[in-house]
Amino acid sequence: ERENAALSSELVALQARTETLNDQLHEQEQMLLLASLTQVHSRFAYERRLDEEIAVSLRSGKPLCYALWDIDYFKRINDEHGHQAGDAVLAQVASYLSRYTRSNDFVARIGGEEFVVLFPDTSIEDATMIAEKLRALIAAAEIAVEGVEIPVTISCGISALKPCDGGEQLYRRADEALYAAKDAGRNRC
């Protein structure tokens, strides 16, 4: 009976330790999925989600649109106002993108000043309309850092998933559209 009691006590301790480790693992996974500066999804989370959304879209036949965003003249913001101001601008832009998209849309920072918004079950026309509203909101925003207002605009390229696409093709077409927006004068979709 003493051995059984000791083993039961050890089992309870192991179960408690397992729960603690599971909690820590979940916390670390959440840290991997969110970009700490912007509080939107990380590139790691984006790559996972993109594959999932493509699979769902291809299986269901419902549209998927991909919007690639780039902050206009971001290097100039860093050069003129400093990297802390650049970080604040990144956080504000991310906040606008996540706050003004729908709950089923997916916002991620994929690097530097680039963001992606995935629009599941959304036509290219509707995605373009939503993107244009987001672009206008950010252009009209009063983003101030330490009392200094910093004008911020953003450009966007949008693509729609085709039946033979993977993530690379979707990204490539959105990137081409983004460069066309920048070549046409920036602050446009």
PDB file of all heavy atoms in Angstrom, residues 33-59:
ATOM      1  N   LEU A  33       3.721  32.533 -33.427  1.00  0.00           N
ATOM      2  CA  LEU A  33       2.661  32.874 -34.368  1.00  0.00           C
ATOM      3  C   LEU A  33       2.394  34.366 -34.465  1.00  0.00           C
ATOM      4  O   LEU A  33       1.850  34.834 -35.452  1.00  0.00           O
ATOM      5  CB  LEU A  33       1.372  32.133 -33.989  1.00  0.00           C
ATOM      6  CG  LEU A  33       1.446  30.608 -34.080  1.00  0.00           C
ATOM      7  CD1 LEU A  33       0.139  29.978 -33.607  1.00  0.00           C
ATOM      8  CD2 LEU A  33       1.799  30.145 -35.479  1.00  0.00           C
ATOM      9  N   LEU A  34       2.763  35.132 -33.430  1.00  0.00           N
ATOM     10  CA  LEU A  34       2.546  36.580 -33.441  1.00  0.00           C
ATOM     11  C   LEU A  34       3.875  37.317 -33.506  1.00  0.00           C
ATOM     12  O   LEU A  34       4.808  36.979 -32.783  1.00  0.00           O
ATOM     13  CB  LEU A  34       1.804  37.036 -32.186  1.00  0.00           C
ATOM     14  CG  LEU A  34       0.309  36.866 -32.149  1.00  0.00           C
ATOM     15  CD1 LEU A  34      -0.251  37.430 -30.851  1.00  0.00           C
ATOM     16  CD2 LEU A  34      -0.373  37.520 -33.329  1.00  0.00           C
ATOM     17  N   ALA A  35       3.936  38.332 -34.362  1.00  0.00           N
ATOM     18  CA  ALA A  35       5.113  39.191 -34.411  1.00  0.00           C
ATOM     19  C   ALA A  35       5.025  40.147 -33.227  1.00  0.00           C
ATOM     20  O   ALA A  35       4.030  40.852 -33.067  1.00  0.00           O
ATOM     21  CB  ALA A  35       5.142  39.955 -35.733  1.00  0.00           C
ATOM     22  N   SER A  36       6.044  40.161 -32.392  1.00  0.00           N
ATOM     23  CA  SER A  36       5.961  40.919 -31.137  1.00  0.00           C
ATOM     24  C   SER A  36       5.781  42.418 -31.357  1.00  0.00           C
ATOM     25  O   SER A  36       5.018  43.060 -30.656  1.00  0.00           O
ATOM     26  CB  SER A  36       7.183  40.646 -30.262  1.00  0.00           C
ATOM     27  OG  SER A  36       8.360  41.041 -30.937  1.00  0.00           O
ATOM     28  N   LEU A  37       6.456  42.984 -32.335  1.00  0.00           N
ATOM     29  CA  LEU A  37       6.371  44.425 -32.571  1.00  0.00           C
ATOM     30  C   LEU A  37       4.983  44.849 -33.033  1.00  0.00           C
ATOM     31  O   LEU A  37       4.419  45.828 -32.562  1.00  0.00           O
ATOM     32  CB  LEU A  37       7.421  44.859 -33.601  1.00  0.00           C
ATOM     33  CG  LEU A  37       7.350  46.313 -34.068  1.00  0.00           C
ATOM     34  CD1 LEU A  37       7.678  47.253 -32.924  1.00  0.00           C
ATOM     35  CD2 LEU A  37       8.290  46.529 -35.239  1.00  0.00           C
ATOM     36  N   THR A  38       4.422  44.099 -33.964  1.00  0.00           N
ATOM     37  CA  THR A  38       3.178  44.521 -34.614  1.00  0.00           C
ATOM     38  C   THR A  38       1.926  43.866 -34.050  1.00  0.00           C
ATOM     39  O   THR A  38       0.829  44.319 -34.327  1.00  0.00           O
ATOM     40  CB  THR A  38       3.250  44.210 -36.119  1.00  0.00           C
ATOM     41  OG1 THR A  38       3.472  42.805 -36.274  1.00  0.00           O
ATOM     42  CG2 THR A  38       4.363  45.003 -36.789  1.00  0.00           C
ATOM     43  N   GLN A  39       2.082  42.773 -33.332  1.00  0.00           N
ATOM     44  CA  GLN A  39       0.961  42.010 -32.789  1.00  0.00           C
ATOM     45  C   GLN A  39       0.015  41.479 -33.861  1.00  0.00           C
ATOM     46  O   GLN A  39      -1.159  41.267 -33.619  1.00  0.00           O
ATOM     47  CB  GLN A  39       0.189  42.834 -31.738  1.00  0.00           C
ATOM     48  CG  GLN A  39       0.994  43.111 -30.487  1.00  0.00           C
ATOM     49  CD  GLN A  39       1.474  41.828 -29.814  1.00  0.00           C
ATOM     50  OE1 GLN A  39       0.688  40.995 -29.419  1.00  0.00           O
ATOM     51  NE2 GLN A  39       2.787  41.656 -29.720  1.00  0.00           N
ATOM     52  N   VAL A  40       0.533  41.312 -35.077  1.00  0.00           N
ATOM     53  CA  VAL A  40      -0.185  40.573 -36.109  1.00  0.00           C
ATOM     54  C   VAL A  40       0.578  39.270 -36.322  1.00  0.00           C
ATOM     55  O   VAL A  40       1.654  39.069 -35.772  1.00  0.00           O
ATOM     56  CB  VAL A  40      -0.348  41.364 -37.433  1.00  0.00           C
ATOM     57  CG1 VAL A  40      -1.193  42.608 -37.221  1.00  0.00           C
ATOM     58  CG2 VAL A  40       0.996  41.713 -38.052  1.00  0.00           C
ATOM     59  N   HIS A  41       0.050  38.405 -37.141  1.00  0.00           N
ATOM     60  CA  HIS A  41       0.675  37.104 -37.337  1.00  0.00           C
ATOM     61  C   HIS A  41       2.081  37.227 -37.928  1.00  0.00           C
ATOM     62  O   HIS A  41       2.369  38.153 -38.685  1.00  0.00           O
ATOM     63  CB  HIS A  41      -0.201  36.242 -38.247  1.00  0.00           C
ATOM     64  CG  HIS A  41      -1.502  35.886 -37.598  1.00  0.00           C
ATOM     65  ND1 HIS A  41      -2.665  36.577 -37.841  1.00  0.00           N
ATOM     66  CD2 HIS A  41      -1.802  34.943 -36.683  1.00  0.00           C
ATOM     67  CE1 HIS A  41      -3.636  36.064 -37.117  1.00  0.00           C
ATOM     68  NE2 HIS A  41      -3.137  35.070 -36.397  1.00  0.00           N
ATOM     69  N   SER A  42       2.913  36.284 -37.556  1.00  0.00           N
ATOM     70  CA  SER A  42       4.299  36.240 -38.018  1.00  0.00           C
ATOM     71  C   SER A  42       4.388  35.557 -39.379  1.00  0.00           C
ATOM     72  O   SER A  42       3.417  34.972 -39.866  1.00  0.00           O
ATOM     73  CB  SER A  42       5.138  35.452 -37.020  1.00  0.00           C
ATOM     74  OG  SER A  42       4.720  34.087 -37.019  1.00  0.00           O
ATOM     75  N   ARG A  43       5.576  35.577 -39.943  1.00  0.00           N
ATOM     76  CA  ARG A  43       5.800  34.889 -41.216  1.00  0.00           C
ATOM     77  C   ARG A  43       5.577  33.383 -41.050  1.00  0.00           C
ATOM     78  O   ARG A  43       5.033  32.731 -41.931  1.00  0.00           O
ATOM     79  CB  ARG A  43       7.197  35.177 -41.741  1.00  0.00           C
ATOM     80  CG  ARG A  43       7.387  34.547 -43.096  1.00  0.00           C
ATOM     81  CD  ARG A  43       8.673  34.976 -43.766  1.00  0.00           C
ATOM     82  NE  ARG A  43       8.653  34.461 -45.122  1.00  0.00           N
ATOM     83  CZ  ARG A  43       8.466  35.206 -46.187  1.00  0.00           C
ATOM     84  NH1 ARG A  43       8.299  36.494 -46.080  1.00  0.00           N
ATOM     85  NH2 ARG A  43       8.455  34.652 -47.386  1.00  0.00           N
ATOM     86  N   PHE A  44       5.976  32.843 -39.918  1.00  0.00           N
ATOM     87  CA  PHE A  44       5.776  31.424 -39.627  1.00  0.00           C
ATOM     88  C   PHE A  44       4.283  31.082 -39.673  1.00  0.00           C
ATOM     89  O   PHE A  44       3.873  30.125 -40.321  1.00  0.00           O
ATOM     90  CB  PHE A  44       6.373  31.101 -38.256  1.00  0.00           C
ATOM     91  CG  PHE A  44       6.113  29.705 -37.778  1.00  0.00           C
ATOM     92  CD1 PHE A  44       6.825  28.633 -38.293  1.00  0.00           C
ATOM     93  CD2 PHE A  44       5.163  29.472 -36.797  1.00  0.00           C
ATOM     94  CE1 PHE A  44       6.588  27.341 -37.844  1.00  0.00           C
ATOM     95  CE2 PHE A  44       4.922  28.186 -36.346  1.00  0.00           C
ATOM     96  CZ  PHE A  44       5.629  27.119 -36.871  1.00  0.00           C
ATOM     97  N   ALA A  45       3.471  31.886 -39.003  1.00  0.00           N
ATOM     98  CA  ALA A  45       2.023  31.657 -38.995  1.00  0.00           C
ATOM     99  C   ALA A  45       1.441  31.847 -40.397  1.00  0.00           C
ATOM    100  O   ALA A  45       0.554  31.103 -40.822  1.00  0.00           O
ATOM    101  CB  ALA A  45       1.347  32.603 -38.010  1.00  0.00           C
ATOM    102  N   TYR A  46       1.942  32.837 -41.105  1.00  0.00           N
ATOM    103  CA  TYR A  46       1.478  33.123 -42.470  1.00  0.00           C
ATOM    104  C   TYR A  46       1.706  31.929 -43.396  1.00  0.00           C
ATOM    105  O   TYR A  46       0.809  31.534 -44.147  1.00  0.00           O
ATOM    106  CB  TYR A  46       2.198  34.373 -42.986  1.00  0.00           C
ATOM    107  CG  TYR A  46       2.393  34.435 -44.470  1.00  0.00           C
ATOM    108  CD1 TYR A  46       1.349  34.782 -45.325  1.00  0.00           C
ATOM    109  CD2 TYR A  46       3.632  34.144 -45.039  1.00  0.00           C
ATOM    110  CE1 TYR A  46       1.531  34.833 -46.692  1.00  0.00           C
ATOM    111  CE2 TYR A  46       3.817  34.202 -46.408  1.00  0.00           C
ATOM    112  CZ  TYR A  46       2.771  34.541 -47.230  1.00  0.00           C
ATOM    113  OH  TYR A  46       2.961  34.599 -48.583  1.00  0.00           O
ATOM    114  N   GLU A  47       2.905  31.357 -43.352  1.00  0.00           N
ATOM    115  CA  GLU A  47       3.205  30.236 -44.247  1.00  0.00           C
ATOM    116  C   GLU A  47       2.299  29.047 -43.963  1.00  0.00           C
ATOM    117  O   GLU A  47       1.830  28.382 -44.886  1.00  0.00           O
ATOM    118  CB  GLU A  47       4.684  29.853 -44.116  1.00  0.00           C
ATOM    119  CG  GLU A  47       5.584  30.897 -44.739  1.00  0.00           C
ATOM    120  CD  GLU A  47       7.060  30.689 -44.470  1.00  0.00           C
ATOM    121  OE1 GLU A  47       7.424  29.764 -43.710  1.00  0.00           O
ATOM    122  OE2 GLU A  47       7.862  31.467 -45.025  1.00  0.00           O
ATOM    123  N   ARG A  48       2.029  28.826 -42.700  1.00  0.00           N
ATOM    124  CA  ARG A  48       1.107  27.745 -42.303  1.00  0.00           C
ATOM    125  C   ARG A  48      -0.299  28.015 -42.825  1.00  0.00           C
ATOM    126  O   ARG A  48      -0.946  27.169 -43.413  1.00  0.00           O
ATOM    127  CB  ARG A  48       1.056  27.731 -40.781  1.00  0.00           C
ATOM    128  CG  ARG A  48       1.350  26.477 -40.109  1.00  0.00           C
ATOM    129  CD  ARG A  48       1.231  26.820 -38.643  1.00  0.00           C
ATOM    130  NE  ARG A  48       1.469  25.688 -37.802  1.00  0.00           N
ATOM    131  CZ  ARG A  48       1.368  25.732 -36.509  1.00  0.00           C
ATOM    132  NH1 ARG A  48       1.044  26.845 -35.898  1.00  0.00           N
ATOM    133  NH2 ARG A  48       1.592  24.673 -35.791  1.00  0.00           N
ATOM    134  N   ARG A  49      -0.775  29.228 -42.567  1.00  0.00           N
ATOM    135  CA  ARG A  49      -2.147  29.592 -42.902  1.00  0.00           C
ATOM    136  C   ARG A  49      -2.371  29.663 -44.406  1.00  0.00           C
ATOM    137  O   ARG A  49      -3.423  29.278 -44.902  1.00  0.00           O
ATOM    138  CB  ARG A  49      -2.498  30.924 -42.234  1.00  0.00           C
ATOM    139  CG  ARG A  49      -3.929  31.394 -42.438  1.00  0.00           C
ATOM    140  CD  ARG A  49      -4.929  30.506 -41.701  1.00  0.00           C
ATOM    141  NE  ARG A  49      -6.247  31.036 -41.796  1.00  0.00           N
ATOM    142  CZ  ARG A  49      -6.814  31.826 -40.891  1.00  0.00           C
ATOM    143  NH1 ARG A  49      -6.175  32.150 -39.792  1.00  0.00           N
ATOM    144  NH2 ARG A  49      -8.027  32.284 -41.068  1.00  0.00           N
ATOM    145  N   LEU A  50      -1.366  30.162 -45.131  1.00  0.00           N
ATOM    146  CA  LEU A  50      -1.498  30.260 -46.584  1.00  0.00           C
ATOM    147  C   LEU A  50      -1.757  28.887 -47.185  1.00  0.00           C
ATOM    148  O   LEU A  50      -2.667  28.720 -48.004  1.00  0.00           O
ATOM    149  CB  LEU A  50      -0.247  30.894 -47.201  1.00  0.00           C
ATOM    150  CG  LEU A  50      -0.246  31.018 -48.721  1.00  0.00           C
ATOM    151  CD1 LEU A  50      -1.410  31.880 -49.217  1.00  0.00           C
ATOM    152  CD2 LEU A  50       1.085  31.582 -49.189  1.00  0.00           C
ATOM    153  N   ASP A  51      -0.978  27.909 -46.768  1.00  0.00           N
ATOM    154  CA  ASP A  51      -1.174  26.543 -47.275  1.00  0.00           C
ATOM    155  C   ASP A  51      -2.576  26.038 -46.945  1.00  0.00           C
ATOM    156  O   ASP A  51      -3.242  25.418 -47.779  1.00  0.00           O
ATOM    157  CB  ASP A  51      -0.130  25.593 -46.690  1.00  0.00           C
ATOM    158  CG  ASP A  51       1.263  25.851 -47.246  1.00  0.00           C
ATOM    159  OD1 ASP A  51       1.378  26.497 -48.309  1.00  0.00           O
ATOM    160  OD2 ASP A  51       2.246  25.401 -46.610  1.00  0.00           O
ATOM    161  N   GLU A  52      -3.040  26.311 -45.721  1.00  0.00           N
ATOM    162  CA  GLU A  52      -4.382  25.874 -45.307  1.00  0.00           C
ATOM    163  C   GLU A  52      -5.462  26.544 -46.148  1.00  0.00           C
ATOM    164  O   GLU A  52      -6.397  25.886 -46.615  1.00  0.00           O
ATOM    165  CB  GLU A  52      -4.622  26.201 -43.827  1.00  0.00           C
ATOM    166  CG  GLU A  52      -3.789  25.396 -42.862  1.00  0.00           C
ATOM    167  CD  GLU A  52      -3.877  25.922 -41.431  1.00  0.00           C
ATOM    168  OE1 GLU A  52      -4.702  26.840 -41.150  1.00  0.00           O
ATOM    169  OE2 GLU A  52      -3.117  25.418 -40.581  1.00  0.00           O
ATOM    170  N   GLU A  53      -5.352  27.854 -46.336  1.00  0.00           N
ATOM    171  CA  GLU A  53      -6.369  28.598 -47.087  1.00  0.00           C
ATOM    172  C   GLU A  53      -6.405  28.168 -48.554  1.00  0.00           C
ATOM    173  O   GLU A  53      -7.474  28.074 -49.148  1.00  0.00           O
ATOM    174  CB  GLU A  53      -6.146  30.109 -46.972  1.00  0.00           C
ATOM    175  CG  GLU A  53      -6.394  30.682 -45.595  1.00  0.00           C
ATOM    176  CD  GLU A  53      -7.844  30.634 -45.144  1.00  0.00           C
ATOM    177  OE1 GLU A  53      -8.753  30.344 -45.955  1.00  0.00           O
ATOM    178  OE2 GLU A  53      -8.081  30.890 -43.945  1.00  0.00           O
ATOM    179  N   ILE A  54      -5.238  27.910 -49.135  1.00  0.00           N
ATOM    180  CA  ILE A  54      -5.198  27.452 -50.522  1.00  0.00           C
ATOM    181  C   ILE A  54      -5.897  26.102 -50.633  1.00  0.00           C
ATOM    182  O   ILE A  54      -6.720  25.887 -51.528  1.00  0.00           O
ATOM    183  CB  ILE A  54      -3.747  27.387 -51.041  1.00  0.00           C
ATOM    184  CG1 ILE A  54      -3.210  28.810 -51.242  1.00  0.00           C
ATOM    185  CG2 ILE A  54      -3.668  26.588 -52.344  1.00  0.00           C
ATOM    186  CD1 ILE A  54      -1.729  28.872 -51.569  1.00  0.00           C
ATOM    187  N   ALA A  55      -5.596  25.195 -49.708  1.00  0.00           N
ATOM    188  CA  ALA A  55      -6.215  23.863 -49.737  1.00  0.00           C
ATOM    189  C   ALA A  55      -7.730  23.964 -49.601  1.00  0.00           C
ATOM    190  O   ALA A  55      -8.472  23.308 -50.342  1.00  0.00           O
ATOM    191  CB  ALA A  55      -5.634  22.988 -48.632  1.00  0.00           C
ATOM    192  N   VAL A  56      -8.203  24.800 -48.686  1.00  0.00           N
ATOM    193  CA  VAL A  56      -9.651  24.969 -48.483  1.00  0.00           C
ATOM    194  C   VAL A  56     -10.292  25.553 -49.743  1.00  0.00           C
ATOM    195  O   VAL A  56     -11.334  25.093 -50.193  1.00  0.00           O
ATOM    196  CB  VAL A  56      -9.942  25.863 -47.255  1.00  0.00           C
ATOM    197  CG1 VAL A  56     -11.395  26.317 -47.221  1.00  0.00           C
ATOM    198  CG2 VAL A  56      -9.576  25.141 -45.965  1.00  0.00           C
ATOM    199  N   SER A  57      -9.663  26.572 -50.313  1.00  0.00           N
ATOM    200  CA  SER A  57     -10.213  27.220 -51.502  1.00  0.00           C
ATOM    201  C   SER A  57     -10.289  26.249 -52.681  1.00  0.00           C
ATOM    202  O   SER A  57     -11.302  26.184 -53.378  1.00  0.00           O
ATOM    203  CB  SER A  57      -9.361  28.429 -51.871  1.00  0.00           C
ATOM    204  OG  SER A  57      -9.836  29.033 -53.043  1.00  0.00           O
ATOM    205  N   LEU A  58      -9.208  25.510 -52.897  1.00  0.00           N
ATOM    206  CA  LEU A  58      -9.200  24.570 -54.023  1.00  0.00           C
ATOM    207  C   LEU A  58     -10.205  23.440 -53.821  1.00  0.00           C
ATOM    208  O   LEU A  58     -10.853  23.007 -54.770  1.00  0.00           O
ATOM    209  CB  LEU A  58      -7.789  24.013 -54.237  1.00  0.00           C
ATOM    210  CG  LEU A  58      -6.751  25.034 -54.718  1.00  0.00           C
ATOM    211  CD1 LEU A  58      -5.366  24.406 -54.770  1.00  0.00           C
ATOM    212  CD2 LEU A  58      -7.136  25.623 -56.066  1.00  0.00           C
ATOM    213  N   ARG A  59     -10.348  22.998 -52.580  1.00  0.00           N
ATOM    214  CA  ARG A  59     -11.290  21.910 -52.289  1.00  0.00           C
ATOM    215  C   ARG A  59     -12.742  22.385 -52.412  1.00  0.00           C
ATOM    216  O   ARG A  59     -13.589  21.706 -52.964  1.00  0.00           O
ATOM    217  CB  ARG A  59     -11.017  21.357 -50.883  1.00  0.00           C
ATOM    218  CG  ARG A  59     -11.767  20.097 -50.538  1.00  0.00           C
ATOM    219  CD  ARG A  59     -11.327  19.463 -49.211  1.00  0.00           C
ATOM    220  NE  ARG A  59     -11.266  20.372 -48.090  1.00  0.00           N
ATOM    221  CZ  ARG A  59     -10.136  20.808 -47.515  1.00  0.00           C
ATOM    222  NH1 ARG A  59      -8.966  20.412 -47.953  1.00  0.00           N
ATOM    223  NH2 ARG A  59     -10.172  21.630 -46.506  1.00  0.00           N
TER     224      ARG A  59
END
